[in-house]
Amino acid sequence: MIYAIISVVLAYLIGSINFAVIFSKFFTKKDVREMGSGNAGATNVLRTAGLLPGILTFVFDALKGFLACFIGKTLFLSGFEASDSFPAAEYAIYLAFLCGLFCMLGHVFPIFFKFRGGKGVAVAVGIFYVCCPLAITIGLVCFILSILISRIVSLSSLLATVTVVVCSGLFYNKGAAFLWQLILAALMGLIVFLKHSDNIKRLIKGEEKHIKIGRKKDV
């Protein structure tokens, strides 16, 4: 139990390190939450601070998701020995999912940044790379295809989120902790959707912003 408590607390604190705010202030001397859409995420940093800080934000957000889950998984495996009645590896993935959820909560409600964070998409990439690498790979392919077709980041993020959660159930449907893993994956997906509520409203109205690809004009 102590390993689980330590892991989730660390996961939340790691998630609370908001790289969107850090990089926007470093490159522009401004808080990204006071610019553009006001979201502390990679897309808003990209639009308001530039390509390099946007890429750095995405990469470091993904890395913190990876680190939080990796630490949880490693701590669990170091504290228990596997047996026929206790498949430690399976439960370690469950704890990784749990750490992923708390890391995402830290990202969305960061204690170091007055609880004003991002939407959780980039951090989910790192989380699921530890928990479900095949699912996140398929999700990233879905995201890229959607971006090329629609040129709408929010729509692509939502489609990729659904894809990842569904694939988590399709390809990782074995093991004693499967049901909890699926529930935790679904909860992370729900957080992403709730944080995109304004985007969803604009999508329904046809008012969501597009991004520029190649030489095509923005809409």
Side-chain angles (χ1 to χ4, degrees):
M1 179 61 71
I2 187 64
Y3 291 97
I5 294 173
I6 292 173
S7 298
V8 296
V9 170
L10 281 175
Y12 174 79
L13 294 176
I14 291 171
S16 291
I17 303 172
N18 193 292
F19 289 104
V21 176
I22 292 171
F23 287 123
S24 66
K25 285 188 175 181
F26 179 82
F27 284 95
T28 70
K29 310 303 180 185
K30 298 179 181 179
D31 190 329
V32 70
R33 294 171 296 181
E34 308 304 326
M35 301 188 293
S37 66
N39 179 57
T43 300
N44 196 32
V45 174
L46 177 67
R47 285 175 170 153
T48 60
L51 181 62
L52 179 58
I55 292 174
L56 288 174
T57 299
F58 181 89
V59 170
F60 277 81
D61 277 351
L63 284 174
K64 73 182 182 183
F66 175 89
L67 180 63
C69 294
F70 181 79
I71 288 174
K73 181 180 177 181
T74 303
L75 280 177
F76 187 92
L77 290 175
S78 66
F80 297 94
E81 293 184 2
S83 66
D84 292 337
S85 60
F86 186 80
E90 294 177 6
Y91 282 93
I93 293 298
Y94 160 64
L95 184 56
F97 269 101
L98 188 61
C99 287
L101 176 61
F102 274 83
C103 181
M104 185 172 287
L105 288 172
H107 178 77
V108 175
F109 305 108
I111 192 171
F112 305 130
F113 295 89
K114 299 180 180 179
F115 301 99
R116 291 178 58 200
K119 297 179 180 179
V121 176
V123 72
V125 174
I127 291 169
F128 280 91
Y129 188 80
V130 175
C131 299
C132 306
L134 180 57
I136 194 60
T137 300
I138 296 173
L140 287 172
V141 171
C142 175
F143 178 85
I144 292 170
L145 290 175
S146 179
I147 279 288
L148 293 174
I149 295 170
S150 70
R151 296 189 292 128
I152 303 176
V153 175
S154 59
L155 175 62
S156 303
S157 298
L158 293 171
L159 289 174
T161 298
V162 173
T163 300
V164 171
V165 173
V166 171
C167 288
S168 297
L170 290 176
F171 298 113
Y172 297 86
N173 58 357
K174 296 180 180 179
F178 161 70
L179 180 59
W180 285 110
Q181 293 171 20
L182 186 58
I183 290 173
L184 292 170
L187 285 174
M188 284 186 272
L190 179 61
I191 290 172
V192 172
F193 265 76
L194 290 175
K195 290 296 293 182
H196 279 82
S197 58
D198 290 337
N199 303 87
I200 293 172
K201 292 176 183 177
R202 289 194 294 268
L203 284 169
I204 293 173
K205 295 178 181 179
E207 300 174 351
E208 186 70 325
K209 292 182 179 180
H210 294 62
I211 63 169
K212 294 179 181 180
I213 298 178
R215 296 183 178 179
K216 295 185 75 175
K217 294 183 178 181
D218 200 4
V219 176

